[in-house]
Amino acid sequence: MRLRENDDVGEKEEVVENDVTLAQNQWCPVVNAGFSSPKRAVVVGYALTTKKIKSFLQPKLEGLARNKGILFVAIDHTRPLSDQGPFDIVLHKLSGKEWRQVLEDYRQSHPEVTVLDPPDAIQHLRNRQYMLQAVADMNLSDSYGIVGVPRQLVIKRDAFAIPELVNKAGLTLPLVAKPLVADGSAKSHALSLAYEQFSLQKLEPPLVLQEFVNHGGVLFKVYIVGDAIKVVRRFSLPDVSKWELSKDAGIYNFPRVSCAAASADDADLDPTIAELPPRPLLEKLAKELRWRLGLRLFNLDIIREYGTRDHFYVIDINYFPGYGKMPEYEHIFTDFLLSLGQGKYKKRSG
């Protein structure tokens, strides 16, 4: 079996051959923690990239999981998935058609197992042409604010035609250029900012062009784990003034804008910029997107339009993001896994 490995911050492709045996985690004893009778463990089989294992399965998470009766077991890619386990939950972030087919077959033959998340639903987020469509279709607006998406244009080929296509679409400069494929590699996170029309010919399709919205240089990462929501601030691209737009030309490349080193949670910021989006608005948005996307593990990159208090834009959605950067992720994630496992046992015994 050959599987492509992609992470939300890595670009490495890893191939697993049939003659290679991956290490299988030791089965851990179930912790009784003072209960009068042993509790059945929630067994989580995981198929993650090497980088993802390092960033997500940290010692604190594994220790807390053991104390709560959750066992993480590595899935062996050299053996049929149905021959392994039994699992209560399969947690995965690998790519490739063969792996998707393995998961789909497993879901059909093991409906009692929760797969986080369905591979077909994840694929929807790997193409930026469709990634934000669910948000656009919602047209979310209530007393707490308005949530939309930037106007965008998909360019699949012919860079020389971009200026004309942008003009026909009526997009306003500056424009943010993003790769069309969002596969979790470093390349897929790279951005370019185009200040003038004719420099657009220097871009390399396939890509998506989004209108740049001034937002005070701060974005909000909204992490979603089941029903739980956690928001953190991150520094982003700085605002562009009309003077800069008239003076600057060309393309400015940014390998990665939002990262752990760019945390803005402790920065001395203008309160009108730093104020988090209203909690009720985020809860409504997350609930609707969980249903529309069919996902339970994802995050949103949200910006507030500068000069407004309640006008927000979703500019990116990522599946199974870097939860290791989310405060208190160990408690949030283990509670989520435990709730899934306990819910399954109640259904079986009911």
Side-chain angles (χ1 to χ4, degrees):
M1 181 186 298
R2 297 175 65 86
L3 301 175
R4 284 186 55 216
E5 203 185 83
N6 286 296
D7 195 89
D8 56 316
V9 294
E11 69 275 17
K12 181 175 69 171
E13 181 175 281
E14 185 166 305
V15 178
V16 181
E17 300 287 1
N18 287 328
D19 59 350
V20 178
T21 301
L22 301 185
Q24 185 89 3
N25 269 16
Q26 295 288 329
W27 286 84
C28 304
V30 179
V31 177
N32 196 3
F35 291 97
S36 57
S37 59
K39 294 184 68 177
R40 189 193 186 288
V42 176
V43 183
V44 181
Y46 65 88
L48 305 174
T49 65
T50 304
K51 184 180 284 289
K52 196 69 171 179
I53 291 172
K54 184 177 180 180
S55 67
F56 175 72
L57 286 178
Q58 297 180 19
K60 185 176 179 180
L61 173 69
E62 292 192 286
L64 185 62
R66 280 194 298 270
N67 289 338
K68 292 184 176 182
I70 301 170
L71 305 179
F72 286 106
V73 179
I75 291 173
D76 187 342
H77 307 295
T78 67
R79 297 169 51 208
L81 187 53
S82 292
D83 292 349
Q84 303 180 59
F87 302 123
D88 298 295
I89 298 166
V90 169
L91 186 66
H92 71 98
K93 192 174 185 181
L94 295 176
S95 64
K97 290 183 179 180
E98 188 174 351
W99 172 247
R100 291 201 303 273
Q101 190 60 53
V102 167
L103 275 183
E104 285 294 353
D105 293 344
Y106 182 79
R107 290 180 70 213
Q108 294 297 321
S109 59
H110 294 77
E112 76 283 1
V113 179
T114 300
V115 175
L116 295 173
D117 271 311
D120 285 349
I122 297 169
Q123 280 299 109
H124 191 77
L125 296 186
R126 294 189 182 276
N127 189 320
R128 286 195 168 96
Q129 180 173 358
Y130 310 110
M131 176 190 288
L132 304 180
Q133 191 60 50
V135 181
D137 291 343
M138 288 171 59
N139 194 27
L140 181 57
S141 177
D142 62 18
S143 59
Y144 293 102
I146 301 170
V147 180
V149 299
R151 291 203 301 164
Q152 69 177 35
L153 176 66
V154 175
I155 307 293
K156 294 186 176 180
R157 61 181 68 86
D158 192 5
F160 290 103
I162 296 179
E164 181 182 355
L165 294 172
V166 166
N167 188 50
K168 285 183 178 180
L171 296 188
T172 302
L173 293 165
L175 296 174
V176 179
K178 301 179 180 182
L180 183 62
V181 176
D183 59 4
S185 67
K187 182 180 179 181
S188 72
H189 285 284
L191 305 179
S192 300
L193 189 61
Y195 279 83
E196 53 90 19
Q197 202 168 36
F198 291 103
S199 63
L200 295 170
Q201 297 176 348
K202 300 177 183 178
L203 296 172
E204 297 180 11
L207 52 84
V208 169
L209 296 174
Q210 287 182 351
E211 285 187 333
F212 180 77
V213 178
N214 281 337
H215 53 283
V218 171
L219 66 78
F220 305 100
K221 277 201 169 290
V222 182
Y223 291 95
I224 296 165
V225 182
D227 293 332
I229 299 173
K230 195 79 173 180
V231 188
V232 297
R233 299 179 190 86
R234 292 284 184 265
F235 284 117
S236 179
L237 296 178
D239 289 348
V240 178
S241 68
K242 290 183 179 180
W243 183 86
E244 289 173 315
L245 193 57
S246 66
K247 297 296 182 182
D248 288 341
I251 303 288
Y252 293 82
N253 297 314
F254 302 88
R256 188 177 178 89
V257 175
S258 174
C259 60
S263 174
D265 280 331
D266 299 322
D268 184 16
L269 297 171
D270 182 337
T272 61
I273 294 174
E275 182 184 7
L276 297 178
R279 186 78 184 186
L281 184 69
L282 293 180
E283 289 175 348
K284 187 174 182 179
L285 177 63
K287 180 179 181 180
E288 186 71 15
L289 284 178
R290 277 194 298 268
W291 176 74
R292 288 177 179 266
L293 297 175
L295 299 173
R296 284 179 275 193
L297 300 177
F298 60 99
N299 79 351
L300 311 171
D301 287 352
I302 296 180
I303 58 175
R304 174 192 285 111
E305 185 173 1
Y306 185 74
T308 75
R309 186 177 183 181
D310 61 357
H311 200 163
F312 301 94
Y313 291 90
V314 177
I315 58 174
D316 233 347
I317 306 177
N318 303 290
Y319 168 67
F320 201 157
Y323 285 116
K325 304 168 189 173
M326 180 180 77
E328 302 176 345
Y329 92 98
E330 302 94 345
H331 292 276
I332 293 173
F333 216 97
T334 51
D335 285 347
F336 168 62
L337 295 176
L338 205 57
S339 68
L340 288 178
Q342 291 174 343
K344 289 159 63 70
Y345 301 145
K346 286 180 182 177
K347 288 181 181 179
R348 290 173 184 171
S349 59

